[in-house]
Each structure stands twice: as C-alpha cells, then as structure tokens.
Amino acid sequence: MNHPIIQVEPLTTARALRGPFDYVRPDERVDVGSLLEVPFGRQRLTAVVTGLTDESEHKLVSPLKVLPDALPADLVDLGMWLAHEYASTPARALSLMLPPRGAREKTRLWAEATAAADEDGVRLTERQCALLDTLPRFTESDLGALRRLEARGLVRISKEGVRRAPQHHAVGARKPPPKLNADQLAALDELIGAARAPQADGPQRFLVHGVTGSGKTEVYLRAAADTLQRGRGVLILVPEIGLTPQMIDRFVTRFGDTVAVLHSKLSAGERYDEWRRLRSGEAQVCVGPRSAVFAPIAHLGLVVVDEEHDGSYKNEGDPRYDARLVAARRAAQHGAVLVAGSATPRPESVHELKTITLPRRVDGSGMPPVEIVDLKDTNGPVHPRTHEALVDARKAIVLLNRRGWSNFLTCRSCGHVWECPQCDVALILHRDQHAVACHHCGHREPIPEKCTKCGSVSIARHGSGTERLEHDLAGLGKPVLRLDADIKDAGAVLRAFEHAERAILIGTQVVAKGHDFPDVDLGVVLDADSTLRFPDFRAEERTFALVTQLAGRAGRGGDGKVIVQTIDPTASAIRFAAEHDSDGFLAEELERRRFLRYPPFSTLIRVVCASEQPGAALFAAAEIQARLPQSLGPAPLFRLRGKERAQVVVKAAERRSAIDQVDAAVREVSAVKANKNVNFSVDVDPQ
Ligand code: ADP
Ligand code: ZN
Ligand code: ZN
C-alpha cells in the first residue's frame, strides 16, 4: 500500500494536546478527510485523517473503526487554516466541519417482483399473488412472506435512503423572475464576467452595496442560476435564520430540491440528510447561517454573504472565527466569486472589496426623512415629539436596545444595588417572569420585596426596557407587540404585526433586521446613544447601521419617517444616517480608522484570562502582556460567571506574525503551573 501511515487529529478540546498523531492506515479507502474512531491514551476518540505518510518514529496502532461520511479534503484544509488563523487547535477547528451528529441515515425497504415471477409454471398461493400485485407497497407484517419469495428469486428486496426534508415556510408558486432594472443588470454582468474570467486574475471579491429593497437578492438569485448552469455549487450565508426565512423561501422556490438548508432549527435527522445531499452532490446550493460556511459543497462557484454587517457572523466560542473571513477563504480555495451584500457595509469591506452599487429601490420610492430629536431636556424615554408621531402613525417600529422592565434596582434607604452573585453586573427586572435576571449568565431570583442589606421595603426601579415600554405605550389605542430575546415565538409576533391594520412593534435590534413590512410608516430609535456610547471602535459603525437599517424598513410605500432620539444630535454617525449618506459616512469612518490605526488598517487580537482563583486572571494577563511588547493591558474586566477576568489587547500592523506571537505567548503562559486554574481565550478580530 502506498503511504501505509495516516496522520490523524483526535478531536479533543484540550488546548495542550496537538497532533497530528500517526496510526496504521487500515486500507486504501482511508484517506485525507476520513473519520475514524481511534484509541487515544485510555480514551476512544473521533478523529480526522489530515495526511498520509510513509514513515513514523513511533510504534503505531490501528484505528478502532472507520466511520461513514468522510469530510472532503478541502474542508480538512480549511480546518487547518482556521486553527492557525484564529490561534486555536486543529481539533477544535475540525470539529466545526463534522457531519451533524446524533443521527444516521434513515432507510426503508423497497421490494419488487423479478422477471422470474412472471414465468409460467411458478407456483404461488393466492396470498402470495395478492402480495406481488400490491408491490412496491407492502406492510411490515408481509416481510416474512416476501423474504421467502426473495429466497426463491421471485422478489428483489433492497434498502433505499429516505430524505427527511425540512419544512419550509411557504414554498410559493414559481413566479417568473422580475425583469432586472439597469442597475441590477450592470451588477449581474460584473459578477458573471468575473465568474468567467481566468483564475489567474486572482480572487474575485465584490461588495454589493445597495439600500434595502434595491434588488440585491434578485441579483444573487440570477448569479446563482448562472453558477449552477456552469455546473458549480453555490453557498449563501444569511444572519440568524429565525428572522430571515424569506431568503430560504426565495431560493427554494427558485431552485427547488437542489437547495439544501442547514440551520439549528432543523431536527438532527434533517440536518444530517441535508448534509449528505450536499456531500453527494445531489444538492448544489446551501443556504444557512454562520455555520453553513462549512457546508460540504464541491466545486463552489459562488459564495454570497448577505447582510454582511451582521454581528452573528462572528462565532462566540473557541475558535472565534468570523464566517465572513472563512467565506472569503473558501471562495479563494475554489476559485469562486465572493459577494458580500449590505445596505450598511462594514468599512473593512468597502476598503477590501470591489464595490458594486445599487443606489435605488426597485419600486422607485425614496428613503424616508429622518428627524433627530434632542433628548437632553426630556423626562422619561419617549420625547413628546415622538409620542405625537406614535399617536399619528399607522404602523410603527420602535427600537430600544434593552430587554426587561427596568435596568437596575436600588434601595431608597441605603443605596444597595441588586447585582448578580456570579457577575459584577446589575440584575434586570423582568415583571412578566416575576424575576430579576442577569443578562450575562442567566442567573435569576424572585423580585425582592425588601432590601437584603437594611430591610427597607422602598425599592427604586431605574430606566426602562422593552417590557416597560410595551406597558407604557399600551394607552395609544393600537395593539403593541414586543420582540426580543424573551419572546419565544418571534415568527408569530412578526406575522401578527404584518397582518395588523395598525400596530406598534417594540423590540431590540432584531426588529431592524431581515423582515420586510411594506406598510410601516414610522421607525423610532429610542436611544441611539446606547450603541454610540459603547466603548468600542465600532460604535459609530453600529449606530449608523442601526438607524439606516431601520430607515430601510420604514416608508417603503412612499410615505413614512424615522425619528432618532439622542442626547448628542451632533454625532456624525447619526447625522450621516439622517441624510442617507452612506458614502460620506464610510469615507469619514475609514479616515478616522486610518488615523487611529484601527481595522482594516491593523489587526486587533484580544486575549482574555479568566479564573475563579482571586488575582489569578490578572496575574496571567500580566504575564502575557510582558511577552508581547506592543500590547495594551492587562485591564481587569467585570467578573463573569464567578470568574475574575482580565484582558490584553494587541493592535498589530503585521497580522500573521502577531497571531503567531500571541499564540506562542498564550501557550507559554498557560503551560506554567501557577496558571493551571486560568482559562485563556484568544479572539482575533474581536467584535
Ligand atoms: P434587497 O435584497 O436589496 O432588499 P430584493 O431583491 O429583496 O431587494 O427586492 C425587493 C423586492 O423587489 C422583492 O420582492 C423582489 O422580488 C422585487 N424585485 C427585485 N428586483 C425587481 C425588479 N427588477 N423589478 C421588480 N421587482 C423586483
Ligand atoms: Zn437598603
Ligand atoms: Zn450573572
């Protein structure tokens, strides 16, 4: 056998254990991407074959089992790259690419009569004749009789796979696609031209910058059709799926069964079957959120990242990958065209991608006027101007980025603040749930009746969240609906709002995403400062996006307006958004970032140390800081889930070497005995 040894990554989460490890290659079918079960120390672990070789210095053992469903080699390659790019381990990165687990292929038996059954002289009982007549349908109780006929060569019984197909919301009738307008045609031409250009021209990466309703999705659909015609696959990434079923529906309606969807709402069986349909080439289009970037599509020709500004593309757990960067890498691996689309693109994308603009809405309507309301001398969260507009509006969307009833509770007598016992943050009152809760760790306790410090029963509630606002606006004479993470069935709320004659929809950022409501005539940002004051270099970008996205949802029919409440009416992110001046905002923002050396003009890497042991996190962070001369810190962070935390931030001009240096520093410091109770997390491009 060529290459009798396999190099294997056992899938363990331990940071210290790094492969590859050598094993005996059981047979030629085991190749790069094969999944195995291997003995590893005293454990049995799932493992991925990452390479083949001829020699090893070690005494080798054989794998215990070869599992079905191998990974394609390009995903193994992607996993190794991802581990390196995000200072994680190959094992953790490869774990992201595995076929959905906890399910197997579902099969059903299929039986048909053979030609021999029709020959003269075949002796059959009446029951057997009847059975043959009803094939291929039969019931479980007939199986014995069928097996006996099979033994006589009169029946063939075989297994066939059964697809567990996901339920789509509304697979509408196939309407003929609309005729593209001139802007869309120009955009499509550019994308198709790039797809057909020789690969030597380098990666073809585009930003489709178009206002909401400018027909971006229609352009993706056409580009996808062209890609399929050329015999290549298509990957479409979308933000959180629960709120964007429309995208899936449109792809399924246009392309039918060649579309596979991969998202967390599917059952294990459905996910598994969709994965296998992609792996086998039966499906060639995948639509899904962040994790769908690992869909096993062969010969990718087009990769689309829709709403590319959306924060959900960044993974929270290790490896803290950014699906937008991974998508670009996959496109480059396959020589596919990359398209990022948004009404509010990230400055990074404007800087790095070739921009195609769709400046107008397809229905010809303009963007609604935006009024800035100064909150400085108002009491309460709703300015009288806003109140008046809410009374007049037919359908309004009101955005407030805080869940719950109030932001925090204090004792009027002694000033005690109710805090989470696990985290250094205030507990938030949720009246509906009869509880105060921590929004960081999920801790909850009953609503206090008296002060735990002094026993006073006078407790003050400060600030207001969506729940209180829902209550306060109930007197305006129209139904008030609420949408935030406390609401279980977001789909039902959205449908109720869609079908209402008059209504107010209150919610956190989710209300500004995805869904299209043609008849919204008022959009309100109640507290634009909550994103703007956030201590983060992306605060401007987020605020601009929030106001612009909301404006995109309001006044689609022609008449509508947006109100933005702020204590700083001069803030440039708000001013640019009010003037619908994306280009102006992006130019100024890029200039600011260039000046301050923020991304895309540098790479940020954040290392967070966390420990239950007092002082340990800060100590470890100081050790890391000492090894990285260019880094800032260590800075203490608030305690989270019972762990003290501290961070070190690196701002580097040279991305690759900075990641390597951080990785080396973390490995060194984490290997020291004194730090054995410290968790280290590395975040490249933190959000
Ligand atoms: P975006 O993705 O930019 O928000 P869509 O592609 O969803 O825009 O288009 C908005 C709506 O307009 C959709 O209902 C779509 O079917 C329709 N549409 C798109 N392009 C055209 C066109 N050229 N003519 C008429 N209707 C169109
Ligand atoms: Zn008190
Ligand atoms: Zn907590």
Side-chain angles (χ1 to χ4, degrees):
M1 181 160 50
N2 265 339
H3 311 308
I5 297 165
I6 47 178
Q7 298 173 308
V8 159
E9 287 286 347
L11 302 183
T12 154
T13 53
R15 213 170 230 291
L17 277 179
R18 300 234 174 162
F21 299 94
D22 297 343
Y23 285 82
V24 174
R25 186 179 184 190
D27 62 65
E28 296 253 353
R29 282 168 302 179
V30 173
D31 207 333
V32 171
S34 289
L35 301 179
L36 307 170
E37 205 169 279
V38 296
F40 192 75
R42 276 194 221 122
Q43 312 170 66
R44 301 167 75 113
L45 295 175
T46 302
V48 181
V49 179
T50 57
L52 305 175
T53 184
D54 291 321
E55 280 169 44
S56 174
E57 307 158 1
H58 306 282
K59 191 167 168 293
L60 302 185
V61 295
S62 292
L64 300 166
K65 220 200 271 179
V66 181
L67 302 172
D69 303 320
L71 295 178
D74 70 299
L75 281 184
V76 175
D77 198 54
L78 188 74
M80 301 311 278
W81 168 84
L82 193 144
H84 195 197
E85 187 69 19
Y86 289 99
S88 183
T89 65
R92 290 184 189 195
L94 289 167
S95 298
L96 301 168
M97 333 240 150
L98 294 184
R101 296 209 251 189
R104 301 158 181 268
E105 189 183 9
K106 186 174 165 190
T107 56
R108 128 179 108 199
L109 290 178
W110 163 268
E112 61 186 343
T114 60
D118 288 335
E119 278 167 27
D120 293 341
V122 175
R123 295 215 331 257
L124 294 167
T125 63
E126 217 165 281
R127 180 166 175 249
Q128 285 169 329
C129 281
L131 189 56
L132 286 180
D133 279 346
T134 54
L135 290 183
R137 265 173 301 146
F138 66 92
T139 59
E140 193 83 31
S141 59
D142 297 328
L143 196 57
L146 281 172
R147 287 287 184 208
R148 284 190 293 278
L149 290 172
E150 186 189 26
R152 286 168 63 189
L154 303 179
V155 163
R156 200 169 356 206
I157 302 179
S158 51
K159 260 190 198 173
E160 65 169 9
V162 180
R163 178 185 174 205
R164 286 153 291 195
Q167 293 290 311
H168 301 293
H169 279 253
V171 177
R174 281 192 198 206
K175 274 186 294 184
K179 202 165 162 298
L180 298 188
N181 65 29
D183 294 327
Q184 288 171 309
L185 277 175
L188 184 63
D189 264 3
E190 177 121 32
L191 298 182
I192 290 181
R196 292 171 189 240
Q199 304 236 327
D201 293 359
Q204 304 277 3
R205 308 187 307 164
F206 297 91
L207 169 68
V208 175
H209 181 184
V211 296
T212 316
S214 59
K216 296 185 292 296
T217 308
E218 193 52 47
V219 172
Y220 309 154
L221 285 160
R222 299 297 178 95
D226 181 75
T227 308
L228 289 171
Q229 237 163 45
R230 285 183 293 117
R232 302 186 65 175
V234 177
L235 173 63
I236 311 283
L237 297 179
V238 294
E240 294 143 36
I241 213 83
L243 295 164
T244 47
Q246 286 172 343
M247 191 69 157
I248 292 180
D249 292 348
R250 284 172 76 177
F251 272 84
V252 173
T253 306
R254 186 86 43 108
F255 300 115
D257 272 350
T258 194
V259 180
V261 301
L262 281 179
H263 58 80
S264 57
K265 296 245 166 73
L266 301 183
S267 71
E270 288 167 347
R271 281 176 66 80
Y272 180 70
D273 288 356
E274 292 294 78
W275 192 90
R276 296 236 322 183
R277 287 192 330 113
L278 289 164
R279 181 72 178 97
S280 70
E282 187 188 327
Q284 287 179 292
V285 180
C286 180
V287 187
R290 181 177 68 227
S291 59
V293 76
F294 306 117
I297 306 173
H299 311 299
L300 269 175
L302 175 69
V303 177
V304 174
V305 183
D306 189 34
E307 307 286 0
E308 70 97 27
H309 60 279
D310 195 274
S312 71
Y313 286 119
K314 178 82 177 176
N315 190 42
E316 298 288 342
D318 188 304
R320 295 173 179 273
Y321 70 88
D322 188 326
R324 295 166 287 208
L325 189 63
V326 181
R329 173 77 188 187
R330 276 206 89 180
Q333 272 182 319
H334 289 252
V337 171
L338 176 81
V339 179
S342 176
T344 52
R346 295 176 300 158
E348 286 93 328
S349 304
V350 172
H351 187 66
E352 286 158 10
L353 311 179
K354 179 150 195 256
T355 301
I356 299 173
T357 315
L358 295 178
R360 281 169 285 272
R361 287 174 164 178
V362 287
D363 66 4
S365 64
M367 297 300 280
V370 177
E371 182 182 345
I372 302 172
V373 167
D374 191 343
L375 266 189
K376 236 172 265 127
D377 28 51
T378 343
N379 285 321
V382 182
H383 191 278
R385 279 283 309 121
T386 310
H387 193 270
E388 197 182 309
L390 281 168
V391 170
D392 292 344
R394 265 175 7 98
K395 262 186 176 175
I397 297 182
V398 180
L399 209 145
L400 175 62
N401 224 355
R402 279 190 305 265
R403 287 186 289 131
W405 183 271
S406 64
N407 308 337
F408 62 104
L409 303 176
T410 59
C411 168
R412 286 208 173 91
S413 308
C414 76
H416 172 66
V417 181
W418 272 263
E419 284 191 344
C420 175
Q422 299 292 315
C423 317
D424 294 332
V425 297
L427 292 173
I428 315 266
L429 175 64
H430 288 259
R431 250 182 37 163
D432 274 4
Q433 302 163 12
H434 309 290
V436 289
C438 171
H439 283 184
H440 290 273
C441 73
H443 167 87
R444 51 182 57 229
E445 44 189 86
I447 299 172
E449 282 167 6
K450 56 180 192 232
C451 177
T452 34
K453 280 266 169 58
C454 74
S456 160
V457 292
S458 179
I459 298 172
R461 300 167 168 186
H462 303 269
S464 46
T466 47
E467 198 186 329
R468 176 162 184 184
L469 194 67
E470 179 186 13
H471 181 263
D472 289 353
L473 296 182
L476 294 185
K478 32 188 166 258
V480 180
L481 301 161
R482 174 159 64 93
L483 187 63
D484 59 32
D486 295 323
I487 301 294
K488 299 253 148 39
D489 192 352
V493 174
L494 290 169
R495 281 191 296 277
F497 185 62
E498 191 176 350
H499 295 129
E501 263 303 303
R502 304 165 68 80
I504 298 175
L505 176 66
I506 293 171
T508 49
Q509 295 199 15
V510 294
V511 296
K513 286 184 187 175
H515 249 266
D516 278 347
F517 306 107
D519 49 357
V520 171
D521 57 348
L522 177 66
V524 177
V525 182
L526 268 197
D527 184 4
D529 307 293
S530 70
T531 47
L532 203 51
R533 297 281 160 270
F534 211 75
D536 177 2
F537 77 95
R538 291 186 212 280
E540 274 79 7
E541 173 190 338
R542 291 220 178 90
T543 307
F544 179 84
L546 203 63
V547 175
T548 304
Q549 293 286 343
L550 188 64
R553 319 262 154 233
R556 278 257 190 127
D559 64 333
K561 70 169 173 182
V562 174
I563 293 179
V564 180
Q565 299 194 148
T566 172
I567 52 169
D568 184 4
T570 61
S572 75
I574 293 176
R575 299 218 72 91
F576 278 120
E579 281 151 27
H580 308 297
D581 185 1
S582 267
D583 293 339
F585 171 74
L586 287 162
E588 187 184 279
E589 182 60 14
L590 273 169
E591 216 27 67
R592 192 181 70 92
R593 295 217 190 154
R594 190 193 299 278
F595 183 73
L596 296 171
R597 287 207 313 114
Y598 276 121
F601 305 101
S602 67
T603 295
L604 294 186
I605 308 171
R606 188 165 94 118
V607 182
V608 176
C609 305
S611 178
E612 281 168 11
Q613 198 181 313
L618 197 58
F619 176 81
E623 296 265 280
I624 286 176
Q625 199 283 323
R627 284 170 173 76
L628 301 168
Q630 305 285 323
S631 65
L632 302 169
L637 301 173
F638 71 83
R639 195 168 54 103
L640 181 68
R641 294 190 179 89
K643 286 183 172 160
E644 286 182 7
R645 300 181 307 149
Q647 73 170 4
V648 172
V649 174
V650 175
K651 196 190 215 180
E654 260 295 322
R655 182 179 179 91
R656 188 64 260 164
S657 66
I659 295 170
D660 288 342
Q661 281 163 25
V662 170
D663 192 36
V666 169
R667 280 205 221 194
E668 252 177 71
V669 174
S670 61
V672 175
K673 236 200 176 138
N675 296 321
K676 73 173 193 300
N677 294 321
V678 180
N679 285 341
F680 295 83
S681 105
V682 179
D683 193 353
V684 178
D685 307 327
Q687 290 289 307

